[in-house]
Amino acid sequence: MNIKIKRIMQKQNSIDDLFRRELADYKVTPSDERRQAFLRDAAKEAGKRSAKRWWITGLGTGLLITAGVGLWILEESPVEKATEGRHENNNVKIFENITPKKTDKNISIEKKLIEGKENPVVKATGRKPEPRIRMNYALTVSQPSGLRGHHEPVASNTAPSGQAKVAANVQSIFPEQVQETGIKSPVKQSAPEKQPVEQSVPATAPLQENEKKILPETRNEEKVPKHRGKSSLPGNWNISTGVYYSPEWMFNTLNGDKYANNMGIEGTFHFGRYSVRTGVGLSITTGSNEILVQTNPYLGSYNVLDSIGFRWNDKHTSLIPTLYTSSANAYDTTLRYNYSYMKKRYTYLQVPLLLGYDFWQNNWLSLGMRAGAVMSVLLKTENMSATYDPGKDRIISINNISPDRIQLNWQAVGGINAAFRLSRRYSIELEPDVKYYFNSVYESSTLTRKPWSVGVRAAFLITF
Amino acid sequence: MLFSRKNTEAKRSGQGPVGVLYDRHAPWLLGVCLSYTGNREDAEDVLHDGFMKIIRSIGSYKEKQPGSLEAWMRRIMVNTALKYIRDHKKERMSTELDSNLENLQESGDQNDFEGSDLTKDQLMDLICELPAGYRTVFNLYVMENYTHKEIGEMLGIAENTSKSQLSKARSFLRKRLNEYQNKKNYAKAEFNR
């Protein structure tokens, strides 16, 4: 039994090995037609990929440039500059001179809040005799207007007389408006030989703590730009109007892909993260129409005798005839059919109504979704190319083969909106969108193809 | 990048890198396709589709070791061929052979076919003569070294069906090889006489 199985296995393996060995490098040369067909398709594929790559690169570059310009404008915003200027005026340097007596043993400096106001109180208690100390505190002050006059630095010598002498000199452009907000380390500001003094003065720690308490208010104030108005905050509402331009590429039309220019004015009502947008605009697109012209071919011309006049000639004593003729064209009676293309320009009135929701917002940028419908009404059709020239042939009839455009159509629109706020009033928006036409744009019941399109809307808006 | 490596050759031959790639690999890949489809016309269709897939995804291919490109291309081509067979199911995968082939395994002679002098084209013809189901299983098992379990998963058939079809494919091939050997021996005998 085992021998039989072994034999079968051997036979099987021999067949497998035979085919595996012999057909491992089996080659058949493809036909030349197939090769050419493949290379054609591969070239088409490469073209598609290249076009796709260019689209992505272009879109990305456009977004980057827009974002960059937006940021640059934000940085250079005049309101921002005014805010910065006001801060610069309030920059004050405070120098404190602490001069303990020789009998002082220890020096402590405390900064206390008196009656809820941030008045630094400098105390010095002397234990050991110390050399003359001069501490320079370079204080960067940002003065909120509401707190002016309440933050005068107070230096008091609470030590017993003769133990220590502390002097605090405050040098300020507007001394009455001084408020401590940023105290730089004495070690950094003072001369190197004065560094040991800081070690012998443990009171710097409380100063830094108070500094931390005060600093966040003013720093936050510096960080939050003044011009970021209520428009970006949820729960508030505003209205913005502006102009927009949107190039649009239509697909699934009769004569291949089409390009359309859309522009107009619009108004948007914002309520927190939600928005409603409407407006009125023009959409201009072109199309080529095929026409069939029936003609009679021109054969030639001849003179038609219109009339004959006679005049008596005395010399020859005879009547001389005068022939009055006119030229007439001769045409073949057979019909000749000529196909011709005429380029037409269509102008639509567009009324969009879109709802929006911003899913991400910050002070200068918001991202959101927009969806809605657009109504398009055909206003005008113009012939852009010259009318058909039949030459000398006689035109019998001209028939439109391509259907004309319908007067009214509706589109569904959806897109992603990116709004860059340049200032409190001005903003720009970029919105890549996709449109789907609910009905065919042509006047033909047999054409059921519904176009769709992609576009990028760019808008400049003013917020009220 | 693979194509940049072949740029020199492409410039020399005056055609693009795709053309060079095609000329280099299409012949043996067409052999692979032929062994699955059984006829040249379908094989060229599969080659076309498979090569389009290859050039679309060659950007994502990373050569790990020499020869892996060929293995990668072969795999794509085999998958394309299997899809083609599924989409153009003219024959059921579980086509049964004639009943007179059933007993070949037991009654076959003891030839080991080691010294078979059939040409490669003749061997390929034998493969092409197999019913589609047998041919597919035979190729996947013998040429691609898949297990019956893997073949069953790929083709959506039971593991035992795969074994059965492989066995029947072998029987068919053995029979045809025996016929060839017998003819050859007969011719030799006639010649010696």
Side-chain angles (χ1 to χ4, degrees):
Chain A
M1 185 65 185
N2 287 338
I3 296 171
K4 193 176 180 183
I5 292 172
K6 203 172 179 180
R7 210 174 274 165
I8 290 170
M9 293 293 290
Q10 279 175 352
K11 280 197 292 181
Q12 288 177 351
N13 290 339
S14 66
I15 287 181
D16 292 357
D17 289 343
L18 173 69
F19 282 93
R20 194 179 289 130
R21 188 180 59 245
E22 293 296 324
L23 298 181
D25 56 347
Y26 182 72
K27 289 180 182 175
V28 188
T29 307
S31 62
D32 198 44
E33 290 82 3
R34 289 289 186 152
R35 183 182 182 277
Q36 294 302 329
F38 166 75
L39 291 178
R40 269 199 307 274
D41 289 355
K44 279 183 195 171
E45 185 74 20
K48 278 183 192 173
R49 289 169 69 183
S50 174
K52 191 178 171 186
R53 204 177 299 127
W54 275 110
W55 267 105
I56 292 168
T57 308
L59 198 61
T61 310
L63 285 172
L64 279 175
I65 289 171
T66 311
V69 168
L71 281 173
W72 180 75
I73 291 170
L74 276 175
E75 291 292 327
E76 296 298 318
S77 168
V79 182
E80 189 84 22
K81 277 187 173 177
T83 311
E84 285 172 6
R86 199 181 68 211
H87 290 173
E88 281 170 9
N89 288 337
N90 289 337
N91 284 346
V92 178
K93 285 185 177 180
I94 297 174
F95 299 96
E96 289 189 13
N97 293 327
I98 303 171
T99 313
K101 281 190 173 182
K102 288 183 180 179
T103 54
D104 293 345
K105 292 178 180 178
N106 192 11
I107 297 173
S108 66
I109 301 173
E110 290 180 14
K111 189 179 180 188
K112 288 184 178 177
L113 295 176
I114 300 172
E115 294 175 357
K117 299 170 187 175
E118 299 160 6
N119 292 344
V121 178
V122 181
K123 290 182 180 177
T125 53
R127 295 292 181 191
K128 288 181 180 178
E130 294 286 341
R132 181 185 175 85
I133 301 169
R134 185 174 186 272
M135 295 179 69
N136 290 334
Y137 291 157
L139 305 181
T140 303
V141 178
S142 292
Q143 173 65 49
S145 58
L147 296 174
R148 286 178 184 174
H150 297 286
H151 302 280
E152 294 175 12
V154 176
S156 65
N157 186 354
T158 57
S161 176
Q163 286 183 347
K165 183 181 180 182
V166 176
N169 293 332
V170 178
Q171 296 176 353
S172 168
I173 298 170
F174 306 105
E176 72 282 1
Q177 297 177 0
V178 169
Q179 181 196 5
E180 287 183 23
T181 54
I183 302 175
K184 293 180 183 176
S185 168
V187 179
K188 290 178 184 173
Q189 295 299 323
S190 58
E193 65 271 13
K194 292 166 188 172
Q195 286 179 5
V197 174
E198 191 211 22
Q199 294 171 358
S200 65
V201 182
T204 51
L207 271 178
Q208 287 169 355
E209 284 176 10
N210 278 339
E211 174 194 3
K212 285 176 188 172
K213 287 178 186 172
I214 299 166
L215 276 175
E217 293 179 14
T218 52
R219 284 179 181 168
N220 285 342
E221 186 190 16
E222 286 168 2
K223 279 181 182 175
V224 178
K226 297 289 185 189
H227 62 265
R228 306 295 173 247
K230 60 185 179 181
S231 60
S232 62
L233 299 174
N236 294 323
W237 62 270
N238 61 39
I239 294 173
S240 58
T241 62
V243 291
Y244 73 90
Y245 169 72
S246 169
E248 182 184 354
W249 290 267
M250 291 175 67
F251 304 96
N252 216 10
T253 58
L254 266 184
N255 308 113
D257 304 341
K258 289 207 184 311
Y259 178 76
N261 287 298
N262 307 322
M263 66 209 79
I265 55 172
E266 63 180 20
T268 309
F269 175 76
H270 295 275
F271 184 79
R273 290 179 179 270
Y274 299 93
S275 64
V276 180
R277 188 171 80 213
T278 186
V280 62
L282 292 176
S283 173
I284 298 170
T285 184
T286 57
S288 57
N289 281 52
E290 194 180 7
I291 57 172
L292 173 66
V293 184
Q294 288 182 320
T295 58
N296 285 143
Y298 173 74
L299 296 176
S301 64
Y302 59 93
N303 290 327
V304 180
L305 179 63
D306 292 330
S307 61
I308 301 175
F310 293 94
R311 181 168 56 85
W312 178 254
N313 190 321
D314 291 336
K315 188 177 177 181
H316 295 93
T317 61
S318 62
L319 285 171
I320 306 287
T322 304
L323 304 179
Y324 296 94
T325 62
S326 61
S327 178
N329 292 332
Y331 298 96
D332 199 342
T333 53
T334 57
L335 283 176
R336 179 186 286 172
Y337 295 92
N338 298 301
Y339 289 90
S340 178
Y341 286 91
M342 288 181 71
K343 201 171 181 184
K344 288 186 176 180
R345 181 164 60 201
Y346 302 97
T347 306
Y348 288 91
L349 174 73
Q350 287 193 321
V351 181
L353 179 64
L354 284 92
L355 305 177
Y357 174 73
D358 291 340
F359 50 77
W360 189 82
Q361 287 181 330
N362 71 7
N363 288 323
W364 60 276
L365 173 68
S366 66
L367 297 175
M369 298 176 295
R370 302 287 183 270
V374 177
M375 181 186 74
S376 295
V377 181
L378 181 62
L379 291 181
K380 193 168 61 173
T381 303
E382 296 169 282
N383 285 331
M384 293 180 70
S385 55
T387 50
Y388 176 71
D389 180 14
K392 289 187 174 180
D393 292 354
R394 183 168 56 192
I395 295 176
I396 304 301
S397 67
I398 298 176
N399 298 308
N400 279 328
I401 293 176
S402 305
D404 222 333
R405 301 284 186 108
I406 57 172
Q407 290 294 319
L408 175 68
N409 66 63
W410 291 87
Q411 302 120 51
V413 192
I416 301 293
N417 179 280
F420 303 91
R421 292 189 188 84
L422 309 180
S423 67
R424 184 175 180 177
R425 282 195 175 277
Y426 305 110
S427 61
I428 55 173
E429 288 188 1
L430 273 183
E431 189 177 300
D433 58 28
V434 178
K435 283 182 188 171
Y436 176 74
Y437 288 68
F438 286 122
N439 47 0
S440 172
V441 295
Y442 300 104
E443 286 178 333
S444 173
S445 57
T446 56
L447 290 171
T448 55
R449 291 194 302 181
K450 293 176 183 175
W452 60 278
S453 68
V454 293
V456 181
R457 169 182 158 276
F460 179 76
L461 301 171
I462 304 170
T463 305
F464 297 100
Chain B
M1 188 68 191
L2 185 76
F3 281 171
S4 61
R5 201 182 63 185
K6 298 179 183 307
N7 270 350
T8 314
E9 191 177 343
K11 282 176 187 170
R12 201 186 313 133
S13 62
Q15 55 189 340
V18 174
V20 172
L21 190 77
Y22 186 86
D23 290 347
R24 178 179 288 183
H25 297 286
W28 71 267
L29 285 171
L30 183 57
V32 173
C33 297
L34 186 59
S35 69
Y36 281 86
T37 59
N39 67 75
R40 181 166 175 140
E41 193 179 342
D42 290 350
E44 286 191 327
D45 284 344
V46 172
L47 180 77
H48 182 276
D49 294 349
F51 241 106
M52 290 302 292
K53 284 182 188 173
I54 286 169
I55 62 163
R56 273 184 212 125
S57 53
I58 200 159
S60 61
Y61 169 76
K62 288 174 186 172
E63 192 164 21
K64 292 169 186 169
Q65 57 188 19
S68 66
L69 173 67
E70 282 75 13
W72 178 74
M73 293 170 88
R74 185 182 182 102
R75 182 162 189 142
I76 287 179
M77 210 54 77
V78 168
N79 286 339
T80 310
L82 293 177
K83 185 177 182 301
Y84 187 89
I85 291 166
R86 267 197 302 273
D87 294 344
H88 300 78
K89 232 180 213 173
K90 292 173 187 172
E91 299 167 273
R92 293 181 62 231
M93 297 298 286
S94 57
T95 306
E96 296 295 328
L97 275 178
D98 295 337
S99 57
N100 57 352
L101 297 178
E102 292 292 327
N103 298 323
L104 272 177
Q105 190 166 313
E106 297 300 324
S107 61
D109 59 17
Q110 305 301 315
N111 290 339
D112 58 3
F113 308 114
E114 281 293 323
S116 173
D117 51 359
L118 284 171
T119 63
K120 291 180 179 180
D121 286 335
Q122 287 171 320
L123 288 172
M124 182 55 80
D125 287 344
L126 291 183
I127 295 277
C128 293
E129 281 177 29
L130 282 168
Y134 299 174
R135 186 169 58 236
T136 306
V137 172
F138 182 83
N139 279 315
L140 290 173
Y141 187 86
V142 176
M143 308 303 289
E144 315 300 333
N145 295 321
Y146 285 110
T147 62
H148 285 295
K149 191 179 178 185
E150 290 169 335
I151 293 168
E153 287 171 357
M154 288 169 77
L155 302 180
I157 57 176
E159 193 176 335
N160 285 334
T161 309
S162 172
K163 287 178 185 172
S164 158
Q165 295 204 357
L166 177 67
S167 171
K168 289 169 183 173
R170 281 174 177 152
S171 302
F172 178 83
L173 293 172
R174 189 177 304 113
K175 182 204 169 200
R176 296 303 307 272
L177 287 170
N178 284 333
E179 285 174 358
Y180 178 79
Q181 291 283 69
N182 292 338
K183 277 183 189 173
K184 189 181 162 190
N185 293 337
Y186 179 77
K188 266 187 186 176
E190 284 291 318
F191 181 76
N192 291 335
R193 193 183 297 172

